[in-house]
Amino acid sequence: MTGSAHLYRVLPGLRDLARRQRGVVTRAQVGVLGMTPGHVEQQLRALRWRSLSEQVLVVHRGPLARDARLWAAVLGAPRGSVVGAWTALELQGLEGWTRDPVHLVVARGAKPDRHPWLVVHESRRLRAEDVVDAGGLPVHGGARAAVDAAAWQPTWRTAAGLMAAVVQQRLVTTDDLFAMLDTVGAVRHRKVMRLALADVVGGADSLAEIDFARLCRDAGLPEPSRQSPRRDLQGRRRFLDVEWPLPGGRRFVVEIDGVGHLERDRWYADLLRDAELGADTRTVRVRLPAMAARYEPDRVLAVVRHHLGW
């Protein structure tokens, strides 16, 4: 029993196993099929197979493709480990947020195999109800994967943007994400994620304007007027978020954009709206992200002071 072709003839289950797991198997799995440790060593010495770890084998000598790495990560980890975070979102169709490493979630204190292409996250919250099947692989569903990925980011901006992306690309609903955030406890960026989701469903734009006005008032700046009416080039009635009068009849206008404005169609409409409102020598118009008033107030105040001449 030496050549791979012969192995597949005498052990038909081996071919099926290797095909299903993209060429990655464990010693225990091939042992169940009838291969002895000696037979395995023959394949390794003959350079037909290679070993990734003490228990995980690859039944060829070529490069390890990305789908094979997913299997290698799961098979080299304790039972209950799950493909999660960015990799789970990628498998469920998230576009524009690809991360090269494979992300694996394991129980706190677990000792999985380590590889240069693998990022291991330890969690105390490995729950069966959060796991879905993806071609035989255990994978975190969209809500759990998104919340984990956002919570493990160094910046709140990435966390907020990811919440918007998974909803806008219809991977998961805002209701599911809110429900997940209610169960995860005090994870990093939790408040940011909730505010971002509120922006996505359209309930936070007015709240953002209130936050912005309060920030200006607390800083001793004049409070702006809100929702001032204007007519665009088509004669339609439009409303500006916040506005200050300036000397000489000029105006300073600030539009407050929630993360929902990042969606392609919303961004397109916003640009056309700005163009149709028109720009004249009497109006200074700037756009600010809604969350900036909450998380980077000094930068926002510097912009306002500059244009108000304070």
Side-chain angles (χ1 to χ4, degrees):
M1 186 182 290
T2 54
S4 295
H6 181 62
L7 271 177
Y8 292 143
R9 283 197 301 272
V10 300
L11 295 174
L14 177 60
R15 184 190 300 275
D16 293 339
L17 177 68
R19 182 183 296 115
R20 184 169 63 253
Q21 296 180 177
R22 305 300 188 265
V24 182
V25 299
T26 67
R27 290 178 183 268
Q29 286 177 327
V30 298
V32 169
L33 295 175
M35 284 192 73
T36 67
H39 292 146
V40 171
E41 293 307 318
Q42 278 185 329
Q43 300 304 309
L44 294 172
R45 285 197 301 270
L47 302 183
R48 298 188 187 97
W49 293 10
R50 59 192 172 102
S51 174
L52 287 182
S53 66
E54 184 178 347
Q55 293 298 322
V56 181
L57 309 165
V58 182
V59 299
H60 60 76
R61 301 289 296 185
L64 200 64
R66 183 165 180 79
D67 54 358
R69 290 180 176 183
L70 302 182
W71 279 102
V74 170
L75 294 174
R79 183 179 296 275
S81 301
V82 186
V83 176
W86 298 105
T87 310
L89 293 172
E90 174 190 338
L91 291 175
Q92 292 167 72
L94 183 66
E95 298 179 354
W97 294 77
T98 302
R99 301 294 191 272
D100 287 335
V102 171
H103 290 258
L104 184 73
V105 185
V106 303
R108 180 75 68 182
K111 303 295 183 184
D113 293 343
R114 300 283 180 164
H115 303 284
W117 42 262
L118 179 64
V119 176
V120 175
H121 306 275
E122 295 187 8
S123 174
R124 294 189 178 92
R125 297 181 302 103
L126 284 180
R127 306 177 302 189
E129 58 266 33
D130 294 337
V131 180
V132 298
D133 181 278
L137 285 166
V139 176
H140 271 149
R144 171 63 191 266
V147 168
D148 280 352
W152 293 329
Q153 296 314 296
T155 70
W156 62 266
R157 295 181 186 86
T158 304
L162 180 59
M163 290 295 102
V166 295
V167 173
Q168 290 163 358
Q169 295 185 31
R170 295 176 173 83
L171 268 68
V172 64
T173 67
T174 53
D175 286 346
D176 289 340
L177 288 165
F178 277 127
M180 183 61 63
L181 286 170
D182 286 341
T183 69
V184 296
V187 298
R188 190 178 191 184
H189 304 314
R190 183 171 179 267
K191 180 180 178 182
V192 170
M193 286 187 259
R194 294 189 68 87
L195 289 171
L197 291 172
D199 282 356
V200 171
V201 298
D205 280 352
S206 60
L207 178 60
E209 294 165 22
I210 293 171
D211 287 347
F212 182 80
R214 183 185 299 115
L215 174 67
C216 294
R217 183 171 61 251
D218 292 347
L221 295 171
E223 189 167 340
S225 59
R226 294 178 51 211
Q227 297 298 308
S228 301
R230 290 288 185 277
R231 296 283 180 182
D232 67 17
L233 295 178
Q234 306 296 322
R236 292 171 297 194
R237 190 175 175 86
R238 302 285 196 176
F239 294 89
L240 305 177
D241 289 348
V242 294
E243 179 183 26
W244 285 269
L246 296 175
R250 297 179 302 119
R251 298 185 301 270
F252 173 43
V253 173
V254 176
E255 297 289 342
I256 310 294
D257 290 350
V259 292
H261 291 258
L262 297 175
E263 187 176 1
R264 181 182 59 188
D265 292 345
R266 185 80 174 268
W267 169 81
Y268 180 90
D270 285 344
L271 291 182
L272 276 180
R273 175 181 180 275
D274 283 353
E276 288 169 344
L277 279 169
D280 57 56
T281 57
R282 297 177 303 165
T283 303
V284 177
R285 181 181 290 111
V286 300
R287 307 192 75 93
L288 291 173
M291 298 179 74
R294 304 163 189 146
Y295 288 93
E296 297 193 81
D298 291 342
R299 291 183 68 182
V300 170
L301 289 172
V303 170
V304 174
R305 288 190 176 104
H306 169 74
H307 289 289
L308 293 180
W310 279 59

